[in-house]
Amino acid sequence: MNTIGIKAGEEKALIYRLRSLLTERSRPVAFIVGSGISAGAVDGVRAIVASMRTMIGDPGEIALFDGRVTGPSDAEKYQQAADFALEFRDQDWLNLVIRQAVLGACPDLTPEERNRLARADEKELEAFERTSPKWRLNPATEGLGRLLQLLPRERRGPVITTNFDPLLEIAVRRAGARASWQQIDLDGKLSRGEDEDAVDIAHVHGYWRQGDTLHTVHQLQKPRPQLHGSLRGSLSGHAVVVVGYSGWDDAFSRSLRELVREQDMQRTDLIWCSYDPLTDESFSSGLLAELLGAPRRSFYHGIDANRLFPGLVDSYVAAVECPHGWRRIDRPLLDDLGTRTPGAAEAVAFFDGAQPDWPEALDPRIPRLSLVGELTEAVSRCLDGAGGSGGAGGDGRIVAAVGPMGEGKSMALRQATVDLARTRDDVTVLWRERGTSVDPEAVLAIPQRAGQHILLVSDDGAHVIDDLKRLMPLAKAQGRTDIHVLLAAQEWEWRNRRPWQDLGGFLADTVKVHGLLEQDGEDIVTAWRDCGALRELAKTPERERARKLVDLSQATFGRQESSLVGAMLALRYGPLLGEHVEELLRRIERHPMLREAFLMISVLHAAFHDKDRRIRPLSLRILAQALEMKQTDIEMRVEDTLRKEAGLSDHGENLWVRHVSIAEAALRISRAQRPDELVPLIRKVVGAAVRLSPAMSTPDPDLYSAAYLSARLGIAEESVAAAETAVAVAPARLSYRTSLVAALRIAKRLQEAGEAAERAAKEMPSMTDPESKFGFLLEWATVAGQDHRPESNALLIGAALALPLEEHQRVYALVNMGVPLRNLHEQSADPVYLEALRGVVGLLQARQASRQQKAYLRRHAAYLTQCGAIPLAGEDDAWDALQAALDKLRPNAHPTLVPHLKSAGASVRPPKGAPDLSM
């Protein structure tokens, strides 16, 4: 009698189910595989027993062997043979037997080569494993390796095997992926590899070239508590597929059985695949008998792994046609995701600024802003060849939603993606997962089908411009008019990347985020009311609530920070925002690392400036360095938790608090409650950035932002600490010395600032960035000026003017030179200084200057008018007048300046041949 009701040999049902798990569901899939997956490549237990008998050699010992190895099944004979080997030989001999058997998967080896390799050291075996082309893969192993390479990391659970051989690792590498393996020969914890893109493979009975291999009943049944505990964590929430594994009564099988039987597990499904037919007798005893009554388990039989995995790969590829790191968004997936409506707490968390995910995008309680319709219409016009700058039949195939952070772009992008996936049968929608590049080869490898389109959707759209710059011309050259793109991007990043230049005619439409419309406000306030999230806004009459939200949002739109999130926080929390943030900090401070990370992110967010292309928020790599953690651990243990608990927002590698008001409130609370908390955290961040920065060149923007953080901190103590840290970590970088001088000056610690400048001047020959000398001299000059030493102020600016300069630097120095010249003339009435000021004003009037510089110029000119003087018109006369004033000051220069003035040179006139950029 057939117990489970599946016909023998019917693998189609299993393939369809596995394909559905891998393409239409959101849970990861783990595989447990045994010797059946290596059948045909590596000797089975019967052949290994025969090999052991041959290797014994001695007739008398063989007779004893035959008398011991009498079990009714091949598996029992194998364990009896292993017991014999350990009694009459030792573990090393048994390991040698296994190496011989594994090397049987290289049929081109001669017997001599095979014997030599079996006795080689681990290093040589590793090299042979990784580089030799002689390994023979059967269809099952090759197919599973290919499948694991295709699966995105969020769908790929661990692979656990009782096999000793490396064929699965070899199959993964041959498929183009990386394999991260571990062997557990006694007891130990299953762990994920450091490389998050690698395939994790755990050998729970040992590995052929390292440690001992387990074979006997005593070895296999010995309790393994660490393995048992980690198995629960590794497979919780997974669909677990067991293939080619007979389920010996060992410690691993017992752990697996208990895992599946636990009623409180988080949706762990077990799919058991048997090669042999499953009948009532199959479930009468042993592991299958105990699994039969377990929840969420199913059985398939007649499953040949050599057919299953190649067939599954073909089915998966046909269904997905999706590059690695992308996710296909289609109706079955959306239907599955839509069954898990977030609770009220998740909806309120979104209104508090948490980043949206697919459950929120599908949640009917979350309103759809007008931006959603604008995006779907723009994309539809693009798909139909009737919209954007490309025009009908043109090249315009990219639509971008661009606006400030926190204006609803990410949610609108997901909601528009949902609508397009559900309403357009002619579109395959592929969503770019965080950290994935747009690989032109992978995209163009997707087959082109008549009347069908491919829509690539990406948040953080500014980060993929370079990829699209490569993809779109190639697509055009190949006639791939079916490839379209939908992006959402932060305005400042989009502006800095200049996509209109790089993407040219491929940019069909840029949908500008415009802030809330009247209906948007009504929908949002209604959603707040329905979710019980009005909070302070409940005190406002109902008819005025939406108008209040729209007005506040429109009044603040276009500034650096989000008007939408800012308005939501301001109206719902009002004066109680501090209490909200205080509760947030209490919630995460159970884990000090989370609080540290949140405050570090807050510091950089509060110091962000979107007008400076060099400034960034805190990056993932700096946070990892500051917390002395691996970046992958930061993502799993810190970033993901803060995203849920504290509304953390991430864009590419950049980490943000959801709104600057939250960041600033968190910093205020920290300073008030724990005055000694922030300075050490700032030191950690700055130190991390400096350590990651190159010694001899300009650091990347994220490193620059943190390394030079002191210039953007408003608290003197914190600013000085940041600058001191940079100098302590990299004392040979002059620009860090300059930052320290500036921080001390702004803190009104002028004596210390001057001393710091003098120390740097003495060590100038050892500095690694001599190009920073101009900025250093100007900062030192400013310190001298504020310390009421106009002579030193002027001489230091003169030393800066004597350097090879770009025109904007020369203008900056001349503007600054006017200040000490005025002071010197006011103090002495010496006409040489007035003449020099006439020269400075004359030189500046003939040059381009910023608005702030022009304001200083007007003050200098006003002083000339007050003195009845006019600017010098001639360039040569102007430089001569300035030179005369400096020459008069030089003999009486302060002793600390003399060595530096000598090395700087005497003439401030631009060298002959320097470009004349005057107007």
Side-chain angles (χ1 to χ4, degrees):
M1 175 181 175
N2 191 303
T3 303
I4 60 175
I6 298 178
K7 295 180 181 179
E10 187 171 351
E11 293 169 347
K12 286 185 178 180
L14 177 60
I15 289 177
Y16 278 120
R17 177 172 181 182
L18 294 180
R19 188 188 73 176
S20 173
L21 276 172
L22 296 172
T23 61
E24 301 170 7
R25 302 294 186 267
S26 57
R27 286 188 298 151
V29 178
F31 291 93
I32 295 175
V33 296
S35 60
I37 198 172
S38 302
V42 176
D43 289 341
V45 291
R46 178 183 296 180
I48 292 176
V49 170
S51 178
M52 291 170 66
R53 189 177 187 276
T54 301
M55 289 176 64
I56 290 172
D58 182 84
E61 194 174 357
I62 289 176
L64 293 173
F65 180 90
D66 291 340
R68 294 278 193 93
V69 182
T70 59
S73 68
D74 289 339
E76 289 174 289
K77 288 178 180 177
Y78 175 80
Q79 292 183 336
Q80 291 168 346
D83 278 326
F84 182 92
L86 291 177
E87 182 179 353
F88 283 71
R89 295 287 194 276
D90 57 19
Q91 181 68 53
D92 289 339
W93 189 85
L94 190 52
N95 293 341
L96 180 65
V97 171
I98 295 304
R99 287 187 178 185
Q100 289 272 17
V102 169
L103 288 168
C106 302
D108 293 340
L109 290 174
T110 66
E112 292 77 15
E113 290 174 328
R114 186 171 171 179
N115 285 330
R116 187 193 67 78
L117 278 170
R119 291 167 171 79
D121 61 26
E122 202 274 335
K123 185 175 181 181
E124 183 179 354
L125 290 176
E126 180 183 10
F128 180 80
E129 175 188 312
R130 286 184 171 275
T131 62
S132 176
K134 296 184 178 182
W135 294 98
R136 177 183 63 191
L137 301 180
N138 63 353
T141 307
E142 188 173 38
L144 180 53
R146 173 66 174 149
L147 180 65
L148 293 169
Q149 182 268 332
L150 290 170
L151 288 178
R153 66 188 182 200
E154 69 272 13
R155 294 291 181 88
R156 188 178 62 224
V159 181
I160 301 172
T161 179
T162 55
N163 295 345
F164 312 122
D165 63 74
L167 298 188
L168 194 50
E169 285 85 348
I170 292 168
V172 167
R173 287 194 288 266
R174 287 184 182 177
R178 295 186 295 279
S180 174
W181 67 275
Q182 70 171 135
Q183 62 92 14
I184 306 175
D185 54 9
L186 293 174
D187 192 17
K189 295 180 179 180
L190 292 172
S191 61
R192 304 303 296 263
E194 295 182 5
D195 186 345
E196 61 183 8
D197 290 328
V199 177
D200 290 305
I201 304 171
H203 294 260
V204 294
H205 285 175
Y207 198 51
W208 77 292
R209 59 175 170 80
Q210 189 177 89
D212 293 332
T213 48
L214 309 183
H215 312 269
T216 69
V217 172
H218 172 72
Q219 289 174 326
L220 296 173
Q221 291 190 345
K222 185 177 180 181
R224 304 172 77 179
Q226 291 188 62
L227 176 62
H228 176 80
S230 61
L231 192 68
R232 177 186 290 107
S234 297
L235 299 183
S236 177
H238 287 57
V240 181
V241 183
V242 182
V243 182
Y245 176 60
S246 59
W248 287 3
D249 185 18
D250 61 6
F252 172 70
S253 293
R254 288 197 300 272
S255 295
L256 178 64
R257 176 185 63 220
E258 292 177 25
L259 170 75
V260 176
R261 288 174 61 87
E262 289 177 354
Q263 294 290 337
D264 62 344
M265 288 305 298
Q266 298 175 7
R267 298 169 56 251
T268 299
D269 284 2
L270 180 73
I271 300 173
W272 188 279
C273 306
S274 172
Y275 178 80
D276 296 319
L278 295 175
T279 64
D280 282 346
E281 185 177 353
S282 304
F283 295 92
S284 62
S285 62
L287 178 61
L288 291 184
E290 298 192 42
L291 291 178
L292 187 61
R296 302 185 72 94
R297 88 290 174 275
S298 52
F299 302 92
Y300 294 83
H301 61 177
I303 305 303
D304 184 343
N306 284 316
R307 292 194 307 263
L308 171 67
F309 286 113
L312 180 57
V313 168
D314 291 341
S315 180
Y316 177 80
V317 170
V320 177
E321 293 183 350
C322 184
H324 181 65
W326 293 73
R327 187 179 199 182
R328 181 169 179 171
I329 307 299
D330 54 18
R331 291 173 189 166
L333 173 66
L334 296 175
D335 290 343
D336 178 52
L337 293 171
T339 62
R340 283 169 273 152
T341 301
E346 285 80 3
V348 173
F350 170 73
F351 296 135
D352 283 345
Q355 267 192 300
D357 206 340
W358 294 109
E360 288 78 27
L362 292 162
D363 189 343
R365 296 169 301 180
I366 306 296
R368 288 169 170 260
L369 304 183
S370 54
L371 179 60
V372 178
E374 294 171 28
L375 281 179
T376 55
E377 290 173 12
V379 173
S380 293
R381 289 195 302 270
C382 190
L383 292 169
D384 298 334
S389 59
D395 295 330
R397 296 187 181 88
I398 301 174
V399 173
V402 179
M405 183 179 74
E407 298 293 353
K409 299 184 306 301
S410 293
M411 175 59 88
L413 185 72
R414 289 178 183 267
Q415 290 174 329
T417 299
V418 168
D419 292 349
L420 290 164
R422 280 180 167 165
T423 61
R424 300 274 314 213
D425 293 329
D426 60 340
V427 178
T428 297
V429 180
L430 303 180
W431 177 272
R432 185 182 75 92
E433 298 291 6
R434 185 163 53 98
T436 300
S437 63
V438 182
D439 182 353
E441 291 185 6
V443 173
L444 294 173
I446 302 173
Q448 185 174 10
R449 291 193 172 89
Q452 294 292 308
H453 303 282
I454 297 165
L455 179 63
L456 309 176
V457 187
S458 173
D459 208 348
D460 299 329
H463 295 201
V464 299
I465 288 173
D466 290 341
D467 294 341
L468 295 177
K469 185 180 176 181
R470 294 190 295 271
L471 169 64
M472 300 312 291
L474 287 173
K476 180 181 179 180
Q478 296 183 20
R480 294 298 302 267
T481 58
D482 59 320
I483 296 174
H484 301 261
V485 182
L486 172 60
L487 307 171
Q490 285 197 49
E491 191 169 47
W492 68 275
E493 290 185 312
W494 187 258
R495 182 176 65 247
N496 288 348
R497 300 292 181 107
R498 301 180 183 277
W500 51 89
Q501 294 179 357
D502 290 340
L503 299 179
F506 296 114
L507 192 58
D509 204 347
T510 301
V511 179
K512 294 288 188 179
V513 178
H514 45 63
L516 294 183
L517 302 182
E518 296 292 335
Q519 189 59 52
D520 295 333
E522 293 285 352
D523 293 343
I524 290 173
V525 170
T526 299
W528 292 349
R529 182 199 64 200
D530 294 345
C531 292
L534 283 170
R535 298 184 67 95
E536 290 297 292
L537 190 60
K539 299 174 182 178
T540 299
E542 185 172 356
R543 64 182 179 276
E544 299 176 16
R545 294 169 183 167
R547 167 51 52 194
K548 202 170 183 178
L549 172 63
V550 172
D551 287 349
L552 181 57
S553 173
Q554 292 288 2
T556 56
F557 182 79
R559 299 180 185 177
Q560 177 172 305
E561 286 291 343
S562 155
S563 66
L564 176 56
V565 173
M568 290 196 299
L569 292 171
L571 292 181
R572 294 178 53 244
Y573 287 98
L576 302 180
L577 179 61
E579 294 181 12
H580 169 64
V581 177
E582 193 170 344
E583 171 58 31
L584 182 157
L585 290 174
R586 279 197 297 269
R587 192 164 61 242
I588 63 176
E589 71 180 356
R590 295 190 300 269
H591 309 284
M593 175 181 58
L594 294 181
R595 181 182 173 101
E596 285 191 13
F598 185 78
L599 290 173
M600 289 176 182
I601 296 165
S602 296
V603 168
L604 269 292
H605 188 151
F608 176 73
H609 195 301
D610 70 345
K611 302 303 181 185
D612 189 335
R613 296 183 64 178
R614 299 171 299 176
I615 301 304
R616 295 290 186 275
L618 187 63
S619 68
L620 195 59
R621 61 171 169 170
I622 296 177
L623 181 60
Q625 178 83 5
L627 294 178
E628 298 181 343
M629 295 175 63
K630 297 173 183 175
Q631 193 163 319
T632 52
D633 288 341
I634 287 288
E635 291 177 342
M636 290 187 294
R637 295 169 55 190
V638 176
E639 187 181 356
D640 288 347
T641 304
L642 286 180
R643 190 181 294 111
K644 297 172 184 175
E645 295 287 341
L648 184 72
S649 178
D650 62 283
H651 295 272
E653 294 293 304
N654 300 327
L655 302 174
W656 306 81
V657 178
R658 192 55 171 158
H659 192 265
V660 70
S661 62
I662 296 177
E664 291 173 343
L667 298 178
R668 285 195 302 271
I669 292 167
S670 173
R671 292 180 184 118
Q673 295 180 349
R674 304 180 186 180
D676 297 329
E677 182 176 34
L678 285 181
V679 166
L681 300 185
I682 289 170
R683 289 186 182 277
K684 286 184 179 182
V685 169
V686 174
V690 174
R691 283 190 291 273
L692 290 170
S693 296
M696 304 295 288
S697 59
T698 302
D700 294 337
D702 65 322
L703 302 177
Y704 178 94
S705 298
Y708 296 95
L709 179 61
S710 64
R712 305 192 311 282
L713 293 175
I715 305 297
E717 179 189 8
E718 295 170 6
S719 178
V720 172
E724 286 176 338
T725 302
V727 171
V729 177
R733 193 167 185 92
L734 183 58
S735 55
Y736 296 151
R737 302 291 193 100
T738 305
S739 295
L740 177 56
V741 175
L744 291 168
R745 173 180 58 81
I746 295 170
K748 306 301 182 184
R749 295 157 62 176
L750 292 179
Q751 182 178 345
E752 294 175 69
E755 292 169 352
E758 291 169 16
R759 285 194 299 272
K762 290 177 183 177
E763 299 172 27
M764 189 72 70
S766 65
M767 296 300 170
T768 60
D769 55 335
E771 70 278 4
S772 300
K773 188 174 182 180
F774 173 80
F776 168 73
L777 290 173
L778 266 292
E779 179 54 46
W780 190 5
T782 304
V783 171
Q786 292 187 6
D787 200 25
H788 308 293
R789 293 184 286 120
E791 300 88 351
S792 295
N793 188 353
L795 285 169
L796 286 166
I797 298 173
L801 280 167
L803 298 172
L805 301 179
E806 296 181 13
E807 183 66 10
H808 71 90
Q809 293 175 310
R810 186 170 290 111
V811 170
Y812 181 66
L814 288 170
V815 168
N816 280 271
M817 181 65 86
V819 177
L821 291 176
R822 283 165 46 195
N823 291 337
L824 286 166
H825 184 256
E826 286 174 337
Q827 292 175 10
S828 68
D830 191 327
V832 71
Y833 302 124
L834 187 62
E835 285 298 298
L837 184 59
R838 292 179 64 205
V840 164
V841 174
L843 291 169
L844 286 172
Q845 286 182 336
R847 285 168 163 78
Q848 292 180 335
S850 69
R851 180 179 301 176
Q852 186 178 21
Q853 289 168 344
K854 287 178 180 178
Y856 276 97
L857 177 57
R858 286 192 293 270
R859 294 176 201 167
H860 300 334
Y863 183 78
L864 290 181
T865 302
Q866 177 185 332
C867 296
I870 61 172
L872 287 173
E875 182 98 358
D876 289 339
D877 291 342
W879 284 114
D880 287 344
L882 177 56
Q883 187 71 54
L886 294 172
D887 289 344
K888 182 167 185 174
L889 291 170
R890 187 179 290 267
N892 298 313
H894 191 278
T896 58
L897 272 60
V898 172
H900 201 70
L901 295 176
K902 287 181 179 179
S903 65
S907 177
V908 297
R909 185 189 295 271
K912 295 292 184 181
D916 182 6
L917 301 179
S918 61
M919 296 295 291

